[in-house]
Amino acid sequence: MGRRKVFATAVLGAASALSLAAPANADHFSGWNSVDNGEIRYQDNTKYNSALSFGIEKWNGLSGPDFKPDSFSTIEDLNVTDVSGMCSASWIGRATPQIGADKVELNVCLMDQSTQNERWHVAAHELGHTLGIGDHGNIQYYDAMMYATKTSYLTLSQHDIHDYVALW
């Protein structure tokens, strides 16, 4: 009986320590990120270069992990690519963890139907996921880059920045 109590206390103590380490607003964190040694080395395989550049500039403007192009001497952490033939899909962009380099996929059909500001927003939003930030689904975050629906907002909201700082 004594050992069980000690074990239970140790488990509860470890769980408490883990919960203290979780960032505030944990519902806005995806549970994964593409960051490796303080940076994300990306491979650009998209035709939406201006949108990708915009998103990289937004997130690199904060103090924390930087997006940098992959090179011959580095290991790719992220592959940004276009996906064709997905006109009936419910997503315009998606970020997914992978074994090896993670993926950001941009839906060509839906991106081509979007305004420049919407394309820029989508790219920045998906890059936010690779930093570990989850979707903000509540309408109160409508002006957030990480709001879960395509918008034309092009600035990081205070809430986006708060989530970023809590992680990095």
Side-chain angles (χ1 to χ4, degrees):
M1 186 82 151
R3 281 202 276 173
R4 286 186 190 155
K5 184 175 182 181
V6 169
F7 176 74
T9 303
V11 169
L12 289 174
S16 296
L18 289 174
S19 67
L20 291 176
N25 298 323
D27 57 324
H28 293 160
F29 297 96
S30 64
W32 68 276
N33 65 66
S34 302
V35 177
D36 183 20
N37 291 323
E39 63 187 19
I40 297 176
R41 290 290 183 156
Y42 68 92
Q43 182 67 45
D44 177 358
N45 292 311
T46 180
K47 71 178 191 175
Y48 304 104
N49 293 338
S50 67
L52 179 59
S53 294
F54 171 82
I56 288 169
E57 185 178 309
K58 279 292 169 191
W59 293 111
N60 279 358
L62 301 176
S63 174
D66 278 336
F67 290 90
K68 296 179 181 178
D70 189 35
S71 69
F72 181 73
S73 63
T74 60
I75 297 173
E76 178 184 334
D77 302 310
L78 178 66
N79 186 348
V80 182
T81 188
D82 300 332
V83 178
S84 299
M86 302 291 292
C87 295
S88 62
S90 62
W91 55 271
I92 187 168
R94 64 182 176 190
T96 54
Q98 304 286 312
I99 295 173
D102 296 331
K103 265 199 293 194
V104 166
E105 296 174 308
L106 302 174
N107 183 330
V108 172
C109 184
L110 299 179
M111 289 287 279
D112 285 351
Q113 296 173 15
S114 300
T115 66
Q116 176 179 304
N117 283 6
E118 290 168 338
R119 287 191 300 270
W120 287 7
H121 175 92
V122 168
H125 175 95
E126 298 308 327
L127 292 176
H129 286 314
T130 69
L131 289 163
I133 304 171
D135 285 325
H136 298 10
N138 190 313
I139 192 69
Q140 79 186 50
Y141 302 119
Y142 183 78
D143 65 341
M145 190 66 70
M146 296 309 297
Y147 186 64
T149 302
K150 174 180 77 172
T151 71
S152 306
Y153 287 98
L154 297 179
T155 57
L156 296 173
S157 71
Q158 287 301 311
H159 194 77
D160 292 320
I161 294 168
H162 175 267
D163 286 347
Y164 179 90
V165 168
L167 274 171
W168 306 108

